[in-house]
Amino acid sequence: MATPKVFLATSEYLPNLDQDEQDLPDALRDRGIEPVVAVWNDPGVNWGEADLVVVRSVRDYAKDPQAFITWAKSIPRIANSATTMEWNMDKHYMQALEKLGLPVIPTTWLEPAHKLSKQQIHSRFPAHGDFVIKPAVSSGGRGTGRYTATDAKSRSEAIEHAQYELEMGRTVMVQRYLEEIDVAGETSLIYLNGLSSYQVEKEPMLHPRYRNPIDSGVMEEVAHSTDASEESWRWGERIRQALHAHIKNMSGRDELLLFNRVDLVRGAPESPEEFYVMEISLIDGSLYLSSDEDHLTRFADAIQMRAFW
C-alpha cells in the first residue's frame, strides 16, 4: 500500500504550523503517513497530490473568506468539508443554533447595511454590566474587546470599535459578558471523528482591564486538560447532535467531522440555563494538542483513520 500524503493547511504567518501543533507532523510519520505542511493560498502548492487535506493553522482566512472557501471547494478530500467551514466561518451560525433550541448568549447584531450612527450604536449597547464586541467573521479572537456599560470612556471606546468594524464591512456582535467566565472560565469539549475525545478548561481572556486594539493579533489562551464530568459531556452531546442534524439538513448528507470543538460556559446559579454555547470551532480553532500528550495521540489517530480510508 502506498504511503498516504496528508497536507496540513496553514497560513503564511505560521509556515511551520501553530506552536501547539508542531509535533503533529512527526506523530503522523510515526503512523506511516507522509505529512506536508503547506500554506493554503500558496499558488505553488500542488494540492492534487494530497490524499487528505487537514485544515489547521489558517489564522488569516477571515481577511479574505471568499478566497479561502473557493480554495477549500477546489479540494476533493478536505476536513472539515468546505460547505461546513463556510457555514462556521460566519458567527451568524449562532442564530441557527438558537433555532435548534440550544442556549446561546443573547446577541445584538449590528449590520453594515444599516448605516448606524454613533447614537444608534450607543443605544444598542447594554445599559449596565460588561459587554463584548466582536466581528461576526474573525479567527483567533481578533477584534474582540470587553467594555463596561456604565463607564463613559469605555463606552466611547466600544462605539469606536464597533464603528471601525462596520466601516470595514463586517457585522458586529454585541454580547453581554457572562460574569461566570471570570469565576470558572470556559470549557472546551473536543470531538474527533464524531466521538467525544477530551476536555480542556480555559482561563478567562477578557479581563476587565483588557482592551483589545482594533488591529491586534491572536489572543493567547491558557488551557489545562481536565477530566470531563458527566454533566459537561451531556451538554456537549446535546450540542453535537443538534450540530450534526443541522449540517445534514444543510448539505443533504451526514458529515463525519474530523474535529469539532465546542466551547461552553456554565450558567450562573440564577440563570435559566445550565450552560451557554460560546462557540463551535470547525475550521482552525485550537485543539490544545500540547496541553496533554494524549491529545496529540488522539488527533493523529483520528487523521490516520481518515487517511487510510
Side-chain angles (χ1 to χ4, degrees), residues 68 260 263 269 288:
F68 175 77
N260 170 18
D263 296 343
Y288 312 107

Side-chain angles (χ1 to χ4, degrees), residues 50-61:
D51 294 291
L52 175 67
V53 174
V54 176
V55 177
R56 281 292 70 221
S57 309
V58 291
R59 300 290 188 267
D60 59 348
Y61 77 81

Side-chain angles (χ1 to χ4, degrees), residues 97-104 189 191 196 230-246 260 262 264 272-277 280:
L97 298 183
E98 186 174 20
K99 289 178 182 178
L100 291 169
L102 296 177
V104 302
L189 302 175
Y191 294 80
S196 59
E230 181 180 342
E231 181 183 54
S232 63
W233 279 127
R234 174 168 55 83
W235 295 343
E237 185 62 15
R238 177 182 165 190
I239 299 167
R240 188 198 65 80
Q241 289 182 1
L243 173 65
H244 277 266
H246 180 75
N260 170 18
V262 174
L264 51 86
E273 303 289 353
E274 289 184 287
F275 72 96
Y276 290 93
V277 182
I280 291 178

Side-chain angles (χ1 to χ4, degrees), residues 144-157:
T144 300
R146 175 178 174 180
Y147 302 95
T148 301
T150 55
D151 181 278
K153 183 175 184 296
S154 181
R155 203 171 179 94
S156 177
E157 290 172 347

Side-chain angles (χ1 to χ4, degrees), residues 3-262:
T3 300
K5 279 188 176 182
V6 171
F7 281 43
L8 302 172
T10 187
S11 65
E12 62 179 335
Y13 306 108
L14 297 166
N16 298 312
L17 298 175
D18 183 89
Q19 185 175 359
D20 184 60
E21 300 165 339
Q22 289 183 2
D23 289 334
L24 182 57
D26 284 342
L28 295 179
R29 290 188 188 95
D30 291 343
R31 288 160 175 76
I33 295 169
E34 181 182 346
V36 178
V37 180
V39 175
W40 71 269
N41 54 358
D42 180 351
V45 176
N46 183 2
W47 297 97
E49 294 180 352
D51 294 291
L52 175 67
V53 174
V54 176
V55 177
R56 281 292 70 221
S57 309
V58 291
R59 300 290 188 267
D60 59 348
Y61 77 81
K63 291 186 175 181
D64 194 346
Q66 189 54 56
F68 175 77
I69 287 301
T70 298
W71 164 78
K73 288 180 177 178
S74 73
I75 298 172
R77 293 194 65 197
I78 186 168
N80 292 313
S81 76
T83 299
T84 292
M85 289 193 292
E86 185 173 25
W87 173 77
N88 187 236
M89 68 167 42
D90 188 327
K91 290 183 179 61
H92 280 94
Y93 72 76
M94 299 297 289
Q95 296 175 335
L97 298 183
E98 186 174 20
K99 289 178 182 178
L100 291 169
L102 296 177
V104 302
I105 300 174
T107 302
T108 297
W109 301 84
L110 310 183
E111 303 291 350
H114 294 164
K115 306 293 184 184
L116 300 174
S117 66
K118 280 188 176 182
Q119 179 57 38
Q120 288 172 322
I121 294 172
H122 178 274
S123 67
R124 284 159 173 78
F125 291 165
H128 56 86
D130 282 12
F131 62 98
V132 173
I133 286 181
K134 58 187 174 184
V137 179
S138 67
S139 174
R142 287 186 178 88
T144 300
R146 175 178 174 180
Y147 302 95
T148 301
T150 55
D151 181 278
K153 183 175 184 296
S154 181
R155 203 171 179 94
S156 177
E157 290 172 347
I159 294 172
E160 181 183 354
H161 182 173
Q163 276 193 309
Y164 173 83
E165 299 293 346
L166 290 168
E167 288 169 2
M168 295 298 291
R170 294 189 279 261
T171 296
V172 170
M173 303 168 68
V174 181
Q175 298 178 321
R176 183 175 297 284
Y177 184 80
L178 299 183
E179 300 296 336
E180 196 66 19
I181 296 174
D182 287 339
V183 177
E186 296 178 37
T187 298
S188 288
L189 302 175
I190 311 298
Y191 294 80
L192 301 175
N193 283 331
L195 300 175
S196 59
S197 189
Y198 55 89
Q199 170 184 298
V200 299
E201 298 288 347
K202 298 185 293 185
E203 295 180 9
M205 291 188 295
L206 295 179
H207 298 286
R209 65 180 180 279
Y210 177 80
R211 292 295 177 266
N212 194 26
I214 286 172
D215 59 351
S216 68
V218 176
M219 289 190 287
E220 294 295 327
E221 291 184 320
V222 180
H224 310 281
S225 180
T226 59
D227 293 329
S229 67
E230 181 180 342
E231 181 183 54
S232 63
W233 279 127
R234 174 168 55 83
W235 295 343
E237 185 62 15
R238 177 182 165 190
I239 299 167
R240 188 198 65 80
Q241 289 182 1
L243 173 65
H244 277 266
H246 180 75
I247 289 175
K248 183 176 182 179
N249 182 62
M250 177 179 63
S251 63
R253 63 185 181 86
D254 194 10
E255 178 181 353
L256 183 64
L257 300 170
L258 173 61
F259 55 88
N260 170 18
R261 191 187 91 195
V262 174

